[in-house]
């Protein structure tokens, strides 16, 4: 049977996944990609290294799956959205790629909030600019690295860079194009948007945008030598990973709230008309005439990973050595804690929040008799509360009677039930380990006619799904805790500002 190769490149790991045309995942290969942090707020990566690691993963997945490259009918990539990957006018990397965890452009965004640019951007582009948006990062480069800015030949996203490495074609797709510079009504590039941000000079550097499920090039000879793919293999445009994840779990359609609990708290609803609000990004869906409304903050299960790395490092290392799953090891501890009363509340703002960059994370209500499991349970509850902030905003405008959840934590039935109770709505988990990769594979298959369209999922979703229904008494319990969680967050604004000023003062003293 013919096969499809999908690339999914995240913030720390790049993956190559092979599926057959029935949607069965045959193999996955992963490579770590080093994050560079040369200064506070800066999170970057070497673009050439990203391609080398991705090419290595592709070669590995072909070998481990025993796939003859001639059987790969198409390739598509998805990758982290936002951030920016610049090429010079000769098509060479122009410095390092900037990841979506980068916040160097905070002052640019604050200036736009002061002079009203953010409100004008919301009306025109469907979203308020944020620190890792193309607009803000290009503004930062223009202000702080004018020589580099003058050399910009092409403005790309992560998956567009990988598509270029595969095919030699410079371009993007409609979902990725809408991160900063498209008109929310026409869904096309807007010179007015560029001028609004003072970036009119980069108009010629914006790539052509194609449908996600369209063939945009072929694997070049050089890419074939690097990856083991067959030269001439069709390459599809691919799509933003937030959209790809929703597609991979059957949530990229009106009436459903798609939730990705990962590094970011990602919550999305598809609509058939644009509705703009500062609480979400109104971006292009896969098809013209539909919009993907994303309510997002960097405050989800990365908190859990941080806790494990910081407080369970020895156990985690031992589990790896013994071939055990640290998550399975901790599950009884977490389940026990979720079943007993607790005064602990946790705000999951280690890397950001729905209220901006000022709030920070913290446990409140902690007592001497609490155990590690109580902290982990409160942490996961806080993550679910943060998702509820976003989901409530979306439900208020787009409705939706069900949620579909993906992300590593969703594999724990207790966590999936926690989400159902906190959201007070049915939550469906699909048994799809690589949801974003499968979303890219659907687009690749549709591009070459293997599927009728990107929506033509060949899997028996009903056989892959588990639905968790909210329990009325637990939903009421979490509603009371959620109200206190919100009360604390709303009252902490001035205190968070003072805490941040202490850090700023300490750094200034250290530099004297």
């Amino acid at each position: 049977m013919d096969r499809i190769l999908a690339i999914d490149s995240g913030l720390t790991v790049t993956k190559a996944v092979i599926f057959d045309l029935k949607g069965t995942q045959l193999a996955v290969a992963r490579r770590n990609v080093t994050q560079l942090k040369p200064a506070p707020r800066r999170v970057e990566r070497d673009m050439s290294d990203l391609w080398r690691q991705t090419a290595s993963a592709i070669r590995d997945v072909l070998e481990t799956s025993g796939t003859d490259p001639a059987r790969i009918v198409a390739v598509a990539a998805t990758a982290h959205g936002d951030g920016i990957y610049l090429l010079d006018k000769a098509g060479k990397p122009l410095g390092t790629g900037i990841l979506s965890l980068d916040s160097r452009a905070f002052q640019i965004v604050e200036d736009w909030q002061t002079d009203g640019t953010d409100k004008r951007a919301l009306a025109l582009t469907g979203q308020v600019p944020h620190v890792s948006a193309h607009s803000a990062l290009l503004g930062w480069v223009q202000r702080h690295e004018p020589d580099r800015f003058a050399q910009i030949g092409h403005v790309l996203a992560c998956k567009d860079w990988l598509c270029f490495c595969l095919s030699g074609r410079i371009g993007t797709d409609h979902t990725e194009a809408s991160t900063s510079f498209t008109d929310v009504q026409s869904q096309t590039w807007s010179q007015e948007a560029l001028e609004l941000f003072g970036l009119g000079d980069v108009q010629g550097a914006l790539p052509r945008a194609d449908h996600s499920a369209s063939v945009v090039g072929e694997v070049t000879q050089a890419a074939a030598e690097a990856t083991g793919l067959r030269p001439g293999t069709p390459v599809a445009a691919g799509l933003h990973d937030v959209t790809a994840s929703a597609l991979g779990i059957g949530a990229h359609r009106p009436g459903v709230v798609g939730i990705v609990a990962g590094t970011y708290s990602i919550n999305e609803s598809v609509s058939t008309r644009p509705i703009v609000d500062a609480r979400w990004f109104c971006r292009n869906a896969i098809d013209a005439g539909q919009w993907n409304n994303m309510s997002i903050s960097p405050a989800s299960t990365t908190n859990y990973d941080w806790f494990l790395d910081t407080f369970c490092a020895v156990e985690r290392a031992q589990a790896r050595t013994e071939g055990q799953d640290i998550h399975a090891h901790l599950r009884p501890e977490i389940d026990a804690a979720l079943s007993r009363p607790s005064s602990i509340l946790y705000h999951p703002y280690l890397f950001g929040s729905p209220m901006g960059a000022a709030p920070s994370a913290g446990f409140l209500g902690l007592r001497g008799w609490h155990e590690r499991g109580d902290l982990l349970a409160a942490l996961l509850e806080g993550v679910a509360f943060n998702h509820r902030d976003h989901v409530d905003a979306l439900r208020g405008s787009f409705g939706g009677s069900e949620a579909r959840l993906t992300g590593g934590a969703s594999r724990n039935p207790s966590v999936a039930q926690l989400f159902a109770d906190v959201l007070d709505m049915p939550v469906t988990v699909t048994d799809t380990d690589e949801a974003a990769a499968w979303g890219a594979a659907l687009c690749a298959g549709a591009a070459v006619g293997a599927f009728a369209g990107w929506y033509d999922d060949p899997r028996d979703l009903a056989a892959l799904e588990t639905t968790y229904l909210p329990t009325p008494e637990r939903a009421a319990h979490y509603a009371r805790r959620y109200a206190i969680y919100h009360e604390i967050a709303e009252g902490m604004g001035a205190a968070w500002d003072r805490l941040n000023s202490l850090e700023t003062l300490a750094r200034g003293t250290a530099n004297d």
Side-chain angles (χ1 to χ4, degrees):
M1 180 182 290
D2 289 337
R3 301 176 178 188
I4 298 171
L5 172 68
I7 299 166
D8 178 14
S9 187
L11 296 168
T12 58
V13 176
T14 189
K15 293 177 281 191
V17 190
I18 290 180
F19 299 91
D20 67 22
L21 297 189
K22 291 182 179 180
T24 302
Q25 180 179 310
L26 302 178
V28 57
R30 299 174 175 85
R31 294 291 185 276
N32 293 326
V33 183
T34 301
Q35 287 187 359
L36 307 174
K37 300 176 182 178
R41 295 185 176 272
R42 296 178 65 163
V43 188
E44 307 170 357
R45 65 167 39 142
D46 183 297
M47 292 169 62
S48 297
D49 182 57
L50 170 61
W51 168 239
R52 283 192 297 269
Q53 300 302 334
T54 302
S56 177
I58 293 171
R59 183 174 289 278
D60 187 8
V61 80
L62 289 170
E63 292 176 357
T64 57
S65 65
T67 297
D68 180 346
R71 297 179 67 187
I72 300 294
V73 298
V75 182
T78 187
H80 77 83
D82 300 281
I84 201 164
Y85 291 68
L86 300 176
L87 305 184
D88 64 19
K89 294 176 174 62
K92 302 296 184 183
L94 186 57
T96 54
I98 301 176
L99 301 182
S100 57
L101 291 175
D102 194 282
S103 61
R104 73 185 72 187
F106 75 97
Q107 188 61 58
I108 300 284
V109 172
E110 288 182 4
D111 291 346
W112 287 342
Q113 292 169 344
T114 300
D115 67 18
T117 297
D118 62 333
K119 295 180 177 61
R120 294 191 293 275
L122 177 62
L124 175 60
T125 70
Q127 56 206 301
V128 172
H130 60 99
V131 292
S132 63
H134 281 197
S135 54
L137 290 171
L138 282 171
W140 186 91
V141 174
Q142 182 185 48
R143 180 181 295 184
H144 297 282
E145 298 178 345
D147 291 342
R148 184 184 182 191
F149 185 81
Q151 296 177 65
I152 293 174
H154 306 283
V155 176
L156 302 179
C158 181
K159 75 107 169 69
D160 302 327
W161 162 243
L162 294 174
C163 187
F164 172 66
C165 292
L166 282 167
S167 68
R169 178 260 190 187
I170 289 175
T172 191
D173 79 296
H174 295 302
T175 68
E176 204 82 72
S178 62
T179 57
S180 284
F181 303 129
T182 54
D183 184 305
V184 71
Q185 300 294 331
S186 69
Q187 300 184 297
T188 59
W189 292 125
S190 167
Q191 178 65 20
E192 183 181 355
L194 287 167
E195 298 292 349
L196 173 64
F197 298 119
L199 296 168
D201 290 346
V202 301
Q203 180 186 18
L206 297 181
R208 168 177 164 168
D210 289 290
H211 192 282
S212 304
S214 60
V215 174
V216 296
E218 298 179 343
V219 172
T220 64
Q221 183 63 43
E225 292 172 0
T227 63
L229 289 168
R230 179 178 58 83
T233 302
V235 177
L239 69 172
H240 187 292
D241 70 344
V242 172
T243 309
S245 294
L247 178 57
I249 59 172
H252 190 67
R253 52 191 171 90
V256 178
V257 180
I259 300 174
V260 184
T263 303
Y264 271 68
S265 171
I266 296 171
N267 313 271
E268 49 194 313
S269 295
V270 173
S271 63
T272 55
R273 63 188 180 94
I275 302 175
V276 300
D277 190 292
R279 293 173 295 173
W280 60 77
F281 304 145
C282 184
R283 292 182 173 177
N284 294 344
I286 294 174
D287 281 344
Q290 291 194 333
W291 287 259
N292 196 18
N293 304 281
M294 308 174 185
S295 191
I296 294 173
S297 62
S300 190
T301 55
T302 190
N303 286 264
Y304 177 69
D305 291 332
W306 164 82
F307 190 98
L308 296 190
D309 288 339
T310 306
F311 301 109
C312 307
V314 174
E315 284 174 270
R316 198 171 203 179
Q318 182 177 352
R320 286 173 180 160
T321 300
E322 298 174 356
Q324 297 178 351
D325 182 1
I326 184 64
H327 310 296
H329 173 73
L330 292 172
R331 188 172 299 167
E333 196 174 329
I334 295 170
D335 289 349
L338 285 170
S339 68
R340 59 180 176 251
S342 174
S343 60
I344 307 175
L345 287 171
Y346 177 73
H347 292 84
Y349 306 149
L350 284 174
F351 300 101
S353 80
M355 296 88 73
S360 52
F363 290 99
L364 288 173
L366 184 62
R367 299 289 188 177
W369 52 82
H370 286 130
E371 302 171 3
R372 181 177 67 178
D374 297 304
L375 294 174
L376 281 166
L379 185 151
L380 290 168
E381 177 194 65
V383 167
F385 284 161
N386 189 63
H387 277 275
R388 178 172 169 174
D389 280 344
H390 297 295
V391 171
D392 281 353
L394 295 173
R395 282 190 289 191
S397 291
F398 307 106
S401 58
E402 68 165 311
R404 287 178 170 266
L405 172 67
T406 188
S410 68
R411 299 187 185 95
N412 183 342
S414 297
V415 173
Q417 184 63 52
L418 172 67
F419 269 76
D421 291 333
V422 167
L423 299 176
D424 196 15
M425 69 189 301
V427 170
T428 298
V429 176
T430 303
D431 186 16
T432 304
D433 288 337
E434 302 294 345
W438 175 239
L442 280 169
C443 289
V448 295
F451 307 133
W454 57 264
Y455 47 80
D456 183 29
D457 194 324
R459 302 173 300 169
D460 180 3
L461 283 176
L464 299 173
E465 295 173 349
T466 303
T467 298
Y468 298 83
L469 301 176
T471 307
E473 58 271 21
R474 298 297 293 174
H477 165 76
Y478 285 118
R480 291 189 293 270
R481 291 177 61 83
Y482 179 68
I484 300 171
Y485 166 95
H486 246 292
E487 181 182 349
I488 293 169
E490 290 169 357
M492 280 289 290
W496 274 322
D497 286 338
R498 290 197 295 272
L499 282 172
N500 291 333
S501 69
L502 288 177
E503 181 181 23
T504 302
L505 179 62
R507 280 185 178 155
T509 302
N511 292 332
D512 288 342

